[in-house]
Amino acid sequence: MSTCQNHAAFRFTWPGKDESVACVDHARQLASVANAIGLHLQLIPISYRATDPIPDELPMCQQKVEK
């Protein structure tokens, strides 16, 4: 298994885990799983204001994928 190589678009916290980030595709999958088990999962869009400093690196999706 490896980590997804897409840029993260959302941050979220799964119960019992630390905050993580996910790309759009994985966020949709996470929301589907949460909905199927009756769990409210808040997906927070990652955004920057024009006055924010430009990050050195954009966050990358931390979800595991099979090759």
Side-chain angles (χ1 to χ4, degrees), residues 13-42:
T13 305
W14 197 260
K17 303 283 185 178
D18 291 333
E19 184 176 89
S20 187
V21 294
C23 64
V24 172
D25 291 335
H26 283 115
R28 288 179 30 211
Q29 291 176 4
L30 289 165
S32 292
V33 170
N35 188 44
I37 63 174
L39 174 72
H40 173 74
L41 181 66
Q42 184 178 21

Side-chain angles (χ1 to χ4, degrees), residues 31-64:
S32 292
V33 170
N35 188 44
I37 63 174
L39 174 72
H40 173 74
L41 181 66
Q42 184 178 21
L43 294 168
I44 303 166
I46 296 174
S47 62
Y48 301 97
R49 292 177 290 212
T51 57
D52 289 345
I54 297 172
D56 289 336
E57 293 183 27
L58 295 174
M60 300 301 285
C61 182
Q62 297 174 343
Q63 301 304 300
K64 302 290 184 197

